[in-house]
Amino acid sequence: MVTIDGNGSTFTQGGGSTTIGHSTDGVATIDVQNGGTFDSSLGVITINATGTLNVGVVGGGTFNANSGVVLVGGTINRGSDSNSFNLATGR
């Protein structure tokens, strides 16, 4: 589990791809909450069957995908309007 929590808290993925979860085993979660921000690089973000991405479910947050996002049976949860899931143009 990775949690980006609080105004001014930022996780910036440096390079390459990000994979959340596995096709059958384990559990993996990224929580972006309470004003936190996740910024991806140009690598694809894959959310597999056991993966969950929570954006702003608790207190708002921002997820900036500067590349494609591939959902392979995983889950994306968005909270209220005080959060953002931003996908780069053309992705």
Side-chain angles (χ1 to χ4, degrees):
M1 175 182 271
V2 173
T3 302
I4 302 101
D5 185 13
N7 287 326
S9 297
T10 301
F11 177 88
T12 302
Q13 175 206 11
S17 299
T18 297
T19 301
I20 305 169
H22 185 267
S23 60
T24 58
D25 297 322
V27 175
T29 303
I30 294 180
D31 290 315
V32 185
Q33 61 191 31
N34 294 318
T37 301
F38 179 102
D39 288 312
S40 76
S41 68
L42 296 177
V44 173
I45 299 165
T46 302
I47 305 172
N48 285 320
T50 66
T52 301
L53 171 62
N54 296 313
V55 181
V57 175
V58 177
T62 302
F63 185 88
N64 297 313
N66 296 308
S67 62
V69 175
V70 179
L71 193 59
V72 187
T75 304
I76 298 174
N77 296 309
R78 285 189 65 206
S80 67
D81 291 337
S82 64
N83 67 78
S84 298
F85 180 92
N86 301 311
L87 187 59
T89 302
R91 303 293 179 175

